[in-house]
Amino acid sequence: QQPVQSPQAVILREGEDAVINCSSSKALYSVHWYRQKHGEAPVFLMILLKGGEQKGHDKISASFNEKKQQSSLYLTASQLSYSGTYFCGTEMGFGNEKLTFGTGTRLTIIP
Amino acid sequence: GAGVSQSPSNKVTEKGKDVELRCDPISGHTALYWYRQRLGQGLEFLIYFQGNSAPDKSGLPSDRFSAERTGESVSTLTIQRTQQEDSAVYLCASSLGRLAGSSYNEQFFGPGTRLTVL
């Protein structure tokens, strides 16, 4: 089942902060976050595993609430380069490594 | 090293024709994934390979779609008797795979093939 992301779109001024949320109705093994710029392939940002491990870029932070099956991506002091569509991808269990991607959140940063 | 590559980058075909899309994963990546992305939409899972086997084909929309992988490397997605609804960007991704020991298993995407069915 497709995870739900919120908000669907957000506009920020450079330097402002944003939080993007991803919710699933099923138990998750991991949550992945990707950013996609128009006409380009998605780029890996962060992965959070059940149990607390995570891996990602230094300037990106995220959380994973296993009880609620929710993840949040935190973008602080946003830069123009942060613009794009953010997708979460959820993985149900070890052994089936496919990702089910969320509906996407379009982020626009204005100077 | 090189990233994931896909060919062709663009394909225009007529309704009813067959098309083949190719994906070359990152060398050493045992897992390979195909996704479809319609204009302005999210990524839709199609099929996933672990080595040359496909443990999950659940996302293939119809029996017109098939995929294979050989030599634990190149994969081909074939769409037979294309329909206008097949128009989309087809994205391939690869990862080391957890069975190969990668606990995080982040996926790396290719640039995609934009398919237009007239």
Side-chain angles (χ1 to χ4, degrees):
Chain A
Q1 195 152 6
Q2 186 178 34
V4 177
Q5 288 184 233
S6 62
Q8 288 186 325
V10 61
I11 300 174
L12 296 178
R13 290 198 178 277
E14 206 171 357
E16 291 182 335
D17 302 338
V19 180
I20 301 172
N21 301 300
C22 174
S23 294
S24 173
S25 59
K26 298 195 172 184
L28 301 176
Y29 179 77
S30 72
V31 180
H32 302 222
W33 286 96
Y34 288 81
R35 178 172 60 217
Q36 186 178 33
K37 293 186 180 284
H38 183 69
E40 298 180 9
V43 173
F44 171 77
L45 295 176
M46 172 76 73
I47 179 171
L48 304 102
L49 302 182
K50 180 179 176 180
E53 292 180 74
Q54 58 179 255
K55 176 182 178 182
H57 293 277
D58 291 342
K59 296 185 178 181
I60 302 285
S61 64
S63 63
F64 179 21
N65 185 324
E66 295 174 36
K67 288 184 180 178
K68 294 185 177 181
Q69 308 305 327
Q70 291 177 350
S71 178
S72 295
L73 185 71
Y74 305 98
L75 302 169
T76 57
S78 58
Q79 304 171 18
L80 293 175
S81 62
Y82 289 9
S83 291
T85 301
Y86 290 75
F87 292 100
C88 67
T90 55
E91 185 181 9
M92 295 302 165
F94 190 99
N96 186 335
E97 299 169 12
K98 76 176 189 186
L99 294 179
T100 302
F101 282 91
T103 46
T105 296
R106 180 174 295 181
L107 176 65
T108 303
I109 310 293
I110 55 177
Chain B
V4 178
S5 61
Q6 293 186 244
S7 60
S9 54
N10 276 286
K11 177 72 177 178
V12 180
T13 191
E14 292 179 349
K15 179 181 171 182
K17 295 281 178 76
D18 298 350
V19 295
E20 283 190 355
L21 313 180
R22 177 186 167 110
C23 173
D24 283 87
I26 293 172
S27 178
H29 279 193
T30 64
L32 186 148
Y33 315 80
W34 283 98
Y35 297 92
R36 178 170 71 178
Q37 188 172 33
R38 292 197 166 105
L39 187 63
Q41 303 296 310
L43 289 85
E44 177 187 358
F45 168 78
L46 297 178
I47 186 170
Y48 141 62
F49 287 92
Q50 179 60 49
N52 294 334
S53 301
D56 194 330
K57 307 178 184 180
S58 62
L60 294 177
S62 73
D63 59 9
R64 296 187 295 106
F65 287 72
S66 63
E68 65 175 15
R69 188 179 185 195
T70 55
E72 297 197 359
S73 180
V74 172
S75 176
T76 303
L77 177 69
T78 301
I79 309 173
Q80 296 178 309
R81 305 181 303 281
T82 52
Q83 304 293 313
Q84 288 181 332
E85 69 212 38
D86 300 335
S87 295
V89 175
Y90 289 82
L91 290 159
C92 173
S94 71
S95 69
L96 279 171
R98 290 218 172 75
L99 293 178
S102 170
S103 56
Y104 292 106
N105 203 38
E106 58 267 46
Q107 296 183 16
F108 296 90
F109 282 81
T113 294
R114 181 176 298 278
L115 176 66
T116 303
V117 183
L118 301 177

